[in-house]
Amino acid sequence: MATVGLILIATWLIVAVEKYENDSSSSSPPDQLADLEHRIDQLEKVGPFEVVDGKGMPIFQVESRIDTGEFYTNRATVYSDRGEPVAVMGTDNATGFLRAVSADGDRSAILDLGKPYGLRFEEMIVAKNPDGSEGPKEGVPRLEIGKRESGNYALNFFGTAKDQQIAAIGESKAGSGALVIGDTNASNRASMIVGQDDKGIIGIFNRAGTAVLAFGEASGNTGGSLVIGAANGDPRVKMGTNDNKYGVVIALPQGLPYVPRTGLPGSYLLGCAGGGSCVQ
């Protein structure tokens, strides 16, 4: 019996050694590396996929879809620990875009060179219905910076209402600097520009968008100038200097000239040009 037991043990050891050698030869390091490379290669060729945490919450997602002309064709999304998308990057109409969202989802920043704004900051605002009641929150642009359709670059500020542009600073169509300030109705109320002959001008506008006041460097000399207009924009008062020698005030429409010591009202006033008649 002892002999039979030894034979069985020896047979079992031989079979175990042969099995180990076969397994080792079939999974040698070079073969294992090739298998790993094959798996990586297959993974790289796989389409959309999603990475989740231990609780099944999404962490990272890659998507692909046919270009519809408006939405993305390929994009990758990063999620917060609550499963909310907080960062997205991808392609949109053959250009790249990047979108970052705040933790509460109310604010976002969008970088998209395929759009006129280039960089936009948006905020979720409670919409106002025509009857004054509150509607659902809507995404409203609050700031945009980039190259406009006219080719110039500008920084634009918006109010809390839709399409309510309240201020802009940037490059004018003429290539000089410009500043425009609007009211809550998106009407331009003030501006600072560089006009003809590279002279600075500040303008004030009424609610109808008509210029009613302008002051800046005078046209024709290097002195100052002030023009006050009526509601329709027609000039009514002009103030300036005559070749930087003396001041001139003109009331329009022009009538009689001012004659000193006559008591008659005149349409314009002149300063003293010089000499002994000037009051020192």
Side-chain angles (χ1 to χ4, degrees), residues 1 12 28 51 84-85 90 98 106 108 111 118 135 137 143 148 162 175 186 200 202-203 221 224 227 246:
M1 294 296 295
W12 178 81
S28 61
V51 179
E84 299 290 341
L98 175 64
D106 284 346
S108 61
L111 177 62
K137 284 187 175 182
L143 185 149
R148 314 308 297 177
K162 189 175 182 181
I202 296 177
N221 61 64
V227 179
Y246 54 89

Side-chain angles (χ1 to χ4, degrees), residues 130 145 178 213:
I145 181 172
L213 186 146

Side-chain angles (χ1 to χ4, degrees), residues 37 68 162 191 217 222 266 271:
E37 291 176 347
T68 61
K162 189 175 182 181
S191 67
E217 187 178 358
T222 57

Side-chain angles (χ1 to χ4, degrees), residues 24-42:
S24 300
S25 61
S26 62
S27 302
S28 61
D31 291 339
Q32 293 176 356
L33 181 59
D35 181 64
L36 180 60
E37 291 176 347
H38 175 73
R39 293 184 181 183
I40 294 175
D41 182 64
Q42 292 298 316

